Amino acid sequence: MSNLRVTHKSIGIKALQNLQTNLTSLGNIQQRLSSGREISRPSDNPGGGAMTMQLSSQIRTVEQYARNASDGEGWLGTIDKALTSGLDVLNRAQELTLEGMSNGSASADGAREAIASEITTLRDHMLQVANTKYLDRPVFGGTTTSPRAFDPTSGAYLGDNNPVMRTVGDDVNVRVDANGPTVFGTGASDVFSILADIATDVVSNPTALNGHLQRLQDATATITTQVADVGARHNRIERMHQNSSDRVLSLSSSLSEVRDVDLPATIVQMQMQESAYQAALGATQKIIQPSLVSFLR
């Protein structure tokens, strides 16, 4: 068995290697503390890195669901307010129609003219309701690029029948618009034509008001049904929005457990590593201190 010669150089090299190892470990701990993450790159923990990427991807997806739901709530909330306003218009129109059908003070030409004028104003307001926008898009116009769903004068439909959908969950799509013709009617049966006919006949042909009143009541019933449908969709989107928010919190908690550092434990680990490094420095100083210069002194 041959004896290996131990020199100051070999001792120094070995000591420096050990010091570098300790310093690298200390640097890694400090990096984890400063970043707050246990995993900064996949090589730190391949299994944990893969889980981190999967969780991050799921969080981004669910956050998009939440944004879609929030947008859908905006659409449906706008529609609900518009339809509620429209119902107020139609209820007032029914009152005026009944007044025009009576034989009391409304039989005077001046009173009938006043009713006709107010009905015309209500029709204009109904057209404004039908052209309600959300984020500069008509909520009753489908996916149209037109700035309006209905012609502000004739009441003709300018939109299309394509639904506006929002994906608010895994395989969950909810319609967030309302089809203009379905809500307000089509052709001679739309609310704009009904109101125009009432405004005309309340002066020139009061006997026709009875038929117009029935048409108006049918239109009111249709819009009332649409309000209920919009409310149901709004409630569904609200639930999905809450589910998405809860999922984001749960996934973020799981991601934190995998990726983030355990702060108290890491601080203790750093203190222990600093003590080990200082001890190594002291030991190295004592080991490599003797030299030829020391003997020459």
Side-chain angles (χ1 to χ4, degrees):
M1 179 177 178
S2 60
N3 295 324
L4 296 176
R5 184 172 176 234
V6 179
T7 65
H8 284 287
K9 181 178 180 180
S10 63
I11 293 174
I13 291 173
K14 188 64 176 177
L16 290 175
Q17 288 176 343
N18 292 333
L19 285 175
Q20 186 60 43
T21 299
N22 283 327
L23 190 60
T24 299
S25 298
L26 183 60
N28 290 336
I29 297 173
Q30 289 175 332
Q31 193 275 333
R32 280 152 48 201
L33 277 176
S34 62
S35 67
R37 295 185 176 183
E38 193 73 33
I39 302 174
S40 298
R41 50 186 181 273
S43 60
D44 292 338
N45 184 340
M51 186 177 296
T52 295
M53 288 187 288
Q54 290 176 350
L55 289 170
S56 298
S57 177
Q58 289 182 36
I59 289 173
R60 288 192 297 270
T61 299
V62 177
E63 285 177 339
Q64 185 61 56
Y65 289 156
R67 287 191 291 270
N68 291 348
S70 179
D71 182 61
E73 287 177 298
W75 275 80
L76 292 171
T78 300
I79 294 171
D80 182 70
K81 291 179 181 178
L83 293 182
T84 300
S85 176
L87 286 176
D88 291 339
V89 170
L90 295 184
N91 289 332
R92 177 56 181 163
Q94 289 184 51
E95 294 174 2
L96 292 171
T97 303
L98 288 170
E99 186 178 342
M101 292 168 59
S102 69
N103 295 320
S105 61
S107 60
D109 291 342
R112 291 186 181 279
E113 289 287 350
I115 292 174
S117 177
E118 187 172 350
I119 291 290
T120 299
T121 300
L122 291 176
R123 179 183 182 274
D124 292 340
H125 184 71
M126 201 67 186
L127 279 167
Q128 292 175 359
V129 168
N131 283 319
T132 297
K133 295 181 180 180
Y134 177 71
L135 298 180
D136 207 34
R137 290 184 60 184
V139 295
F140 298 108
T143 58
T144 181
T145 57
S146 173
R148 296 183 181 89
F150 292 86
D151 186 278
T153 303
S154 67
Y157 186 56
L158 304 177
D160 57 43
N161 295 318
N162 298 322
V164 179
M165 308 295 293
R166 291 293 179 267
T167 301
V168 295
D170 296 334
D171 300 321
V172 179
N173 298 296
V174 179
R175 183 171 185 172
V176 298
D177 72 321
N179 181 261
T182 300
V183 174
F184 300 102
T186 58
S189 298
D190 66 40
V191 293
F192 318 116
S193 299
I194 295 171
L195 292 172
D197 291 344
I198 294 173
T200 300
D201 291 341
V202 72
V203 175
S204 61
N205 186 19
T207 58
L209 292 181
N210 188 51
H212 297 333
L213 179 62
Q214 183 59 53
R215 294 165 64 200
L216 194 59
Q217 290 172 340
D218 292 342
T220 301
T222 297
I223 292 181
T224 301
T225 300
Q226 291 298 314
V227 170
D229 176 67
V230 168
R233 284 186 278 153
H234 192 279
N235 289 338
R236 185 184 185 192
I237 280 191
E238 278 187 332
R239 289 193 297 270
M240 294 303 299
H241 194 178
Q242 185 60 51
N243 289 342
S244 294
S245 299
D246 293 342
R247 282 189 65 192
V248 168
L249 290 176
S250 176
L251 290 170
S252 297
S253 177
S254 298
L255 178 61
S256 178
E257 291 178 2
V258 174
R259 184 186 63 186
D260 297 343
V261 298
D262 182 342
L263 192 58
T266 306
I267 290 175
V268 171
Q269 187 179 2
M270 185 183 72
Q271 292 172 343
M272 293 177 62
Q273 190 64 46
E274 285 178 337
S275 298
Y277 181 63
Q278 292 298 328
L281 282 175
T284 301
Q285 181 183 14
K286 292 179 180 180
I287 291 174
I288 65 175
Q289 184 177 20
S291 66
L292 180 61
V293 176
S294 300
F295 289 109
L296 292 177
R297 288 177 184 172

